[in-house]
Amino acid sequence: MAKAIPRIRSRRYYGSRRNLRIGSRKSVPEDIVGVIYVQASFNNTIVTVTNGGSQVLSCLSTGCFGFKARRRATPFAAHTVTANALRTVKDQGLKQAKVRIKGAGPGRDGAFRAIRYGPIRLISIEDITPLPHNGCRPPKKRRV
């Protein structure tokens, strides 16, 4: 008699996402050049690592690591988050990456320092902070 095919249980059965293994089965071919996006605002720092296409390999923010309130915007928090994101991606097989930094927050330097001395070889560094060409139209002159 043939062996029964095990039933696949839905995600709802397992509860929250924390119970599932996320990202452990992702692997990256050796010739792929990844892209590391660092979004440094004045309140938070978000680090996203993609495989050059549209697939996200790792995405972390300083709030995920227990940094709350004002400590989320520190360079130390950004350094910690970036180092952990790079460690995860290195285990998946990524060896080289481009860096794109956006924003003017205090976590910008800490994240870049972690990337520079991290396990992944850098190909290029790009600043993609949006700059206004002429800005918004100013309000009309006040009449008293």
Side-chain angles (χ1 to χ4, degrees):
M1 199 167 157
K3 201 177 200 183
I5 299 172
R7 209 172 110 202
I8 299 173
R9 296 178 181 161
S10 66
R11 188 172 275 212
R12 189 180 71 196
Y13 178 82
Y14 289 109
S16 68
R17 281 182 69 174
R18 293 177 190 229
N19 295 339
L20 296 174
R21 289 174 27 183
I22 299 172
S24 61
R25 294 182 184 167
K26 292 180 184 175
S27 61
V28 180
E30 290 186 17
D31 58 340
I32 294 292
V33 176
V35 182
I36 303 170
Y37 294 95
V38 177
Q39 183 178 354
S41 68
F42 291 106
N43 296 321
N44 202 357
T45 303
I46 301 171
V47 179
T48 306
V49 184
T50 64
N51 64 351
S54 61
Q55 291 181 334
V56 175
L57 301 176
S58 178
C59 181
L60 294 173
S61 70
T62 53
C64 294
F65 281 85
F67 293 103
K68 299 294 178 189
R70 302 182 104 189
R71 288 189 296 156
R72 281 192 316 187
T74 59
F76 174 75
H79 186 280
T80 305
V81 167
T82 307
N84 282 313
L86 292 181
R87 190 178 314 128
T88 303
V89 173
K90 179 68 175 174
D91 294 341
Q92 293 172 5
L94 189 71
K95 295 186 177 178
Q96 50 189 356
K98 299 176 182 177
V99 179
R100 294 185 177 166
I101 300 177
K102 179 180 184 179
R108 175 186 177 112
D109 296 332
F112 178 68
R113 226 174 271 128
I115 293 169
R116 178 144 184 231
Y117 298 116
I120 294 177
R121 189 170 70 89
L122 298 183
I123 292 178
S124 68
I125 301 162
E126 189 178 352
D127 186 14
I128 57 171
T129 304
L131 297 173
H133 293 285
N134 200 10
C136 299
R137 181 176 174 172
K140 62 183 183 179
K141 190 176 178 183
R142 185 170 173 240
R143 285 180 269 181
V144 180

